[in-house]
Amino acid sequence: MRLEHLFEIFIDIKPILSVGMTTAGERVVADLTGGHFEGEKLNGTVRASGADWALICNDGTLKIDVRAVLETNDGAVIYMPYRGRMVVNDTISNILEKGEGETQYGDTYWITQIQFETGDERYAWLNSLMAIGEGRLAPHKAMYKVSAIHKD
């Protein structure tokens, strides 16, 4: 397998809203309010039309479940759902609970599996890609380095 960097994405998020403790863990929702992405082949904005329906598990991990909509600078609309896992450490807890601190890539295990859907022919190549993202967090912002996975 070979990884190809696609873009870095900067997602603005509202403070998390707890649904409460469920049988699976604490369900939280963070609405996406905008943002942007930058890469060699893809650039544009994150539409304020998605959210993360995350689950905080008892083992100290957070299961990520996001649906986002991207709009490229040339007008294409791309649906980008992704799921992943984050190990919640002290820095992550401070950001989520107090709005303080910032992580860097690699500070914790935070990996997502990303897919794309679009009807725009210019970006149809995305429909058959699988991608991964490595995340980092700041108050009201999630950021990812997104790479396509190619079979060589």
Side-chain angles (χ1 to χ4, degrees), residues 13 15-16 89-104 110 136-141:
I13 55 176
I16 61 172
N89 59 26
D90 290 340
T91 305
I92 298 282
S93 290
N94 280 335
I95 295 167
L96 294 176
E97 294 170 12
K98 301 175 188 171
E100 300 172 356
E102 183 172 336
T103 66
Q104 300 302 315
W110 182 355
R136 67 186 190 97
L137 191 66
H140 311 294
K141 190 171 289 291

Side-chain angles (χ1 to χ4, degrees), residues 18-28 54-59 61:
S18 178
V19 173
M21 189 58 70
T22 71
T23 56
E26 183 182 5
R27 177 69 62 187
V28 295
L55 185 66
I56 301 172
C57 302
N58 295 329
D59 65 357
T61 61

Side-chain angles (χ1 to χ4, degrees), residues 61-135:
T61 61
L62 189 137
K63 291 182 180 177
I64 297 160
D65 183 6
V66 175
R67 286 147 190 90
V69 177
L70 310 180
E71 187 170 346
T72 63
N73 288 343
D74 56 1
V77 177
I78 302 166
Y79 172 58
M80 186 180 85
Y82 61 93
R83 289 180 166 222
R85 184 173 295 269
M86 170 203 293
V87 174
V88 178
N89 59 26
D90 290 340
T91 305
I92 298 282
S93 290
N94 280 335
I95 295 167
L96 294 176
E97 294 170 12
K98 301 175 188 171
E100 300 172 356
E102 183 172 336
T103 66
Q104 300 302 315
Y105 294 116
D107 284 354
T108 190
Y109 185 88
W110 182 355
I111 302 295
T112 58
Q113 179 273 318
I114 302 166
Q115 296 179 322
F116 304 96
E117 292 178 19
T118 185
D120 192 300
E121 288 300 318
R122 297 170 296 173
Y123 296 95
W125 55 274
L126 287 169
N127 292 324
S128 61
L129 278 184
M130 294 295 293
I132 59 169
E134 180 181 13

